Amino acid sequence: MSSTNRGKERNKFDYYVTPQKDIINFLKVFKGNHNELNNIENVLDPCAGGDKDNDMSYPEAIKKVFPVWNIETLDIRMDSKANFKGVNYLDTDISKILPDYNADIIFTNPPFNLAMDFVKKAMCDVSENGYVIMLLRLNFLGSKDRNIWLRNNMPYEIYVHSKRMSFTKDGGTDSVEYAHFVWKKGYKGITRLHLLEFK
Ligand SMILES: C[S@@+](CC[C@H](N)C(=O)[O-])C[C@H]1O[C@@H](n2cnc3c(N)ncnc32)[C@H](O)[C@@H]1O
């Protein structure tokens, strides 16, 4: 594939690289709040990213904080570093590609335009009492389209990245706040809000 076509494919699939330091910042605080994470076995990143110049951000960050977790990865792009490439998560029955696999956590930064679909499917795929953790814009909490679903499926926790995240090599930011939203399958209740340290 030529570099121009590779660039077009990246835009089409909303590919950008999440800084590992921000994922690690979140994971360390999340770990401090959840003793049960020591019993986690399987983590799925359903749009794991990576390319010839970049590692897959979430799997690499997870390995640094939870080295024993078993991480499975897939991505729709053929130039991704995922174990399963060319896979559209939204129409894939995970049991067909990973028989006898139960994801305790589904954890990623999904493509922006498909974020709601990713959250809904992940909530179906994750184990009972498991976690779905997605990096989303704070305004994911607004919008008429998401309102009914969100009110019936409130996140368990939200960890706000108080310092704006940068997704560009020059460290530039736009005026968008991001947070790691944590859903716990089976949980019905109010959301605990955490502000991550400004660093
Ligand atoms: C915002 S990027 C995030 C990449 C990586 N998770 C990270 O945080 O650096 C979104 C990723 O989703 C992938 N993607 C887009 N649509 C997808 C789909 N339907 N199924 C699986 N992967 C998809 C893209 O190829 C891209 O790698």
Side-chain angles (χ1 to χ4, degrees):
M1 191 187 288
S2 73
S3 58
T4 315
N5 281 343
R6 219 171 15 242
K8 280 184 191 151
E9 188 177 64
R10 287 177 183 189
N11 284 348
K12 178 169 139 204
F13 294 122
D14 193 15
Y15 174 46
Y16 52 91
V17 179
T18 308
Q20 286 183 39
K21 69 170 178 50
D22 293 311
I23 304 169
I24 291 170
N25 182 19
F26 156 70
L27 270 178
K28 285 183 174 167
V29 178
F30 187 58
K31 184 180 185 180
N33 290 340
H34 292 273
N35 291 333
E36 78 281 11
L37 295 178
N38 295 321
N39 303 324
I40 292 292
E41 284 179 15
N42 295 325
V43 179
L44 174 68
D45 184 338
C47 52
D51 62 84
K52 72 176 180 33
D53 301 319
N54 296 285
D55 286 328
M56 294 179 287
S57 294
Y58 279 81
E60 286 306 312
I62 291 168
K63 274 188 238 161
K64 287 171 189 140
V65 183
F66 293 101
V68 299
W69 285 1
N70 167 43
I71 309 162
E72 278 297 347
T73 51
L74 52 103
D75 198 285
I76 202 164
R77 281 178 302 109
M78 290 307 292
D79 67 332
S80 150
K81 283 189 174 155
N83 292 344
F84 297 92
K85 305 179 212 311
V87 175
N88 180 346
Y89 173 61
L90 296 176
D91 63 14
T92 296
D93 178 349
I94 294 298
S95 67
K96 294 265 164 57
I97 56 172
L98 289 164
D100 302 323
Y101 178 84
N102 289 311
D104 301 306
I105 299 184
I106 300 180
F107 184 24
T108 199
N109 171 1
F112 174 67
N113 289 335
L114 297 172
M116 187 74 242
D117 297 329
F118 266 72
V119 174
K120 283 183 177 170
K121 173 148 168 56
M123 288 293 277
C124 293
D125 288 344
V126 79
S127 309
E128 209 51 42
N129 295 316
Y131 294 106
V132 170
I133 310 174
M134 302 268 167
L135 183 71
L136 300 167
R137 297 174 180 195
L138 264 192
N139 69 4
F140 187 81
L141 291 168
S143 129
K144 187 177 171 194
D145 290 348
R146 294 187 282 266
N147 182 264
I148 292 179
W149 189 88
L150 275 172
R151 284 196 289 124
N152 290 319
N153 299 274
M154 289 297 280
Y156 183 62
E157 298 178 306
I158 296 177
Y159 293 79
V160 180
H161 286 265
S162 309
K163 182 171 180 194
R164 282 198 186 130
M165 292 172 66
S166 168
F167 296 91
T168 59
K169 286 204 168 105
D170 65 3
T173 59
D174 49 22
S175 52
V176 177
E177 321 295 343
Y178 289 85
H180 275 99
F181 286 60
V182 179
W183 281 269
K184 185 177 168 85
K185 188 160 172 168
Y187 175 75
K188 295 285 172 201
I190 58 169
T191 305
R192 297 150 213 238
L193 181 65
H194 305 262
L195 294 188
L196 294 172
E197 256 181 68
F198 198 93
K199 63 180 182 187

